[in-house]
Amino acid sequence: MTQIAVIELRAPSDGRSGRVFLDRKLLERFKLEDLEREFEAAFIDPEDEARMDLIEALLNAEQPLQVSIFPGEQSPPEFHAYFRDPNDPESRLFACVLVSEPIVRKLLEAPPHMVFETETFQIMGSDTTSASLQSAFEAWAGRLWPDRTLPKFEILPWPIEEVHGQPPTPPDRPKGAPRGAVASLPDTDFPTPEELSA
Amino acid sequence: MTQLPLIEKCPEARACIWWAHGFKHFPHRDIRKSDTRHGPARYLPETSPATIEAMETETVRTAERVELSPGKSEYLHDAGEVIGWDMGKDATYSFAECSGGQTAGRRFHGQPMATGNHKLGGKK
């Protein structure tokens, strides 16, 4: 199993922070400065900047914010977090993806064997309970806005029974009788329970 | 359209590999078209990771290389059908870009793209 090293990074230019998870063997190849440079370059996609401005406007309102969490479609799932706009509850604003440790381990199996936290990517432990999702989301927000007082986040997780898949819906009737037996009684003139107990 | 091997189309990407880009464009439960209004674009529900990888790889390998951002190798392919949502609209283009630094290596990822996306400039 890959031995993972975790390093806290801080972008030299603006102080934004995040972690890199990497195969320990890579520590011999890269300096901290290399990782920090990569972290800074990959931190935010230009097309996300306008949405981040909208999120900041929500934070500026200094009122509790609801955050809906939706599992992805893989197993185990990654979790997609959205702010709900208090002025328009039907409108959702993407915040970040929360990713558990088993997924990170899988990602580390492929080159370049390192995974950076970014503006939209937050790594959490293997526990994906509501409390852990809340904690991971708060860690994400604290990382992006380290110098401001953040509002209370009310996490609205997807129902846990749907995260792990519902059991298959039973069919209306048995699809087939065992060993070729006839599924219906050929003779309906059978005794009732009352007759049997008489 | 002439199909060139990846290495000829993107010489700097000799070790270019696909990655999920933090699952940012992956579908999730209860995804709605309106969720993409302020980004990010998303593939349609139930589009599997394998399908996403295949689609984006195909885009890099066969599509027209477009010059949209300095220093990046970007590719645009008209999928001919709706593959996802972007800016709250149906997206029929598959867009892929190859980028990356010295440390993490060069990788490509993609996304569905709708007509009018600023990344397309005046091209579509």
Side-chain angles (χ1 to χ4, degrees):
Chain A
M1 183 183 285
T2 304
Q3 283 195 305
I4 300 175
V6 183
I7 302 173
E8 295 267 358
L9 299 173
R10 193 166 295 276
S13 63
D14 59 13
R16 288 179 296 195
S17 65
R19 297 172 293 175
V20 58
F21 290 61
L22 71 166
D23 186 332
R24 278 183 70 95
K25 291 176 194 157
L26 294 178
L27 292 175
E28 298 164 8
R29 281 176 47 194
F30 297 112
K31 295 178 183 168
L32 184 62
E33 295 76 36
D34 299 329
L35 297 170
E36 281 180 336
R37 196 166 48 246
E38 187 78 23
F39 169 72
E40 186 164 29
F43 191 80
I44 184 165
D45 289 334
E47 62 263 30
D48 289 332
E49 286 173 2
R51 191 180 62 255
M52 296 309 288
D53 291 343
L54 295 173
I55 291 176
E56 287 211 36
L58 287 180
L59 298 176
N60 285 338
E62 295 182 348
Q63 58 179 315
L65 290 171
Q66 290 189 320
V67 178
S68 294
I69 309 264
F70 304 99
E73 296 178 347
Q74 325 177 67
S75 183
E78 75 283 1
F79 294 89
H80 300 253
Y82 285 78
F83 284 107
R84 284 181 179 239
D85 185 343
N87 302 315
D88 180 9
E90 287 305 302
S91 175
R92 306 193 296 213
L93 198 55
F94 174 69
C96 66
V97 178
L98 307 172
V99 180
S100 64
E101 191 184 308
I103 297 176
V104 173
R105 283 197 170 274
K106 198 171 171 189
L107 292 174
L108 287 174
E109 289 172 7
H113 310 291
M114 61 175 70
V115 180
F116 289 87
E117 288 183 325
T118 69
E119 162 252 359
T120 57
F121 190 80
Q122 179 69 33
I123 296 172
M124 57 190 293
S126 52
D127 177 5
T128 56
T129 57
S130 296
S132 296
L133 291 170
Q134 171 106 31
S135 173
F137 189 82
E138 288 172 352
W140 168 79
R143 207 161 53 73
L144 264 65
W145 295 280
D147 300 324
R148 68 180 302 159
T149 305
L150 294 168
K152 178 176 167 42
F153 299 123
E154 183 191 348
I155 302 292
L156 307 172
W158 193 250
I160 189 72
E161 64 271 21
E162 296 198 27
V163 173
H164 298 292
Q166 291 184 325
T169 306
D172 291 340
R173 61 180 66 184
K175 283 186 177 169
R179 300 184 183 181
V182 180
S184 58
L185 291 170
D187 181 6
T188 56
D189 184 20
F190 48 84
T192 63
E194 290 77 16
E195 289 172 333
L196 286 171
S197 60
Chain B
M1 184 182 295
T2 308
Q3 294 192 6
L4 298 172
L6 173 61
I7 199 165
E8 288 179 46
K9 296 183 73 181
C10 183
E12 66 276 359
R14 290 177 187 280
C16 204
I17 54 169
W18 178 84
W19 70 301
H21 195 45
F23 310 107
K24 204 170 80 170
H25 302 292
F26 278 37
H28 56 73
R29 303 283 184 94
D30 198 34
I31 179 78
R32 302 173 195 164
K33 194 191 290 190
S34 60
D35 292 337
T36 67
R37 198 153 55 99
H38 300 291
R42 299 277 186 177
Y43 286 100
L44 291 177
E46 298 183 16
T47 308
S48 70
T51 301
I52 292 171
E53 179 176 356
M55 204 179 326
E56 294 178 353
T57 302
E58 186 70 6
T59 297
V60 170
R61 289 195 180 282
T62 65
E64 171 191 4
R65 183 173 175 181
V66 288
E67 298 292 338
L68 300 173
S69 311
K72 287 185 176 178
S73 307
E74 297 171 311
Y75 302 89
L76 189 64
H77 170 65
D78 185 349
E81 59 181 338
V82 177
I83 57 170
W85 299 316
D86 179 28
M87 305 183 309
K89 300 190 295 188
D90 287 341
T92 56
Y93 289 98
S94 171
F95 173 82
E97 65 177 72
C98 189
S99 60
Q102 301 275 327
T103 312
R106 201 144 172 98
R107 296 179 289 179
F108 70 89
H109 69 274
Q111 64 168 86
M113 194 167 273
T115 304
N117 186 305
H118 76 279
K119 272 201 164 185
L120 298 175
K123 291 183 184 293
K124 302 287 177 186

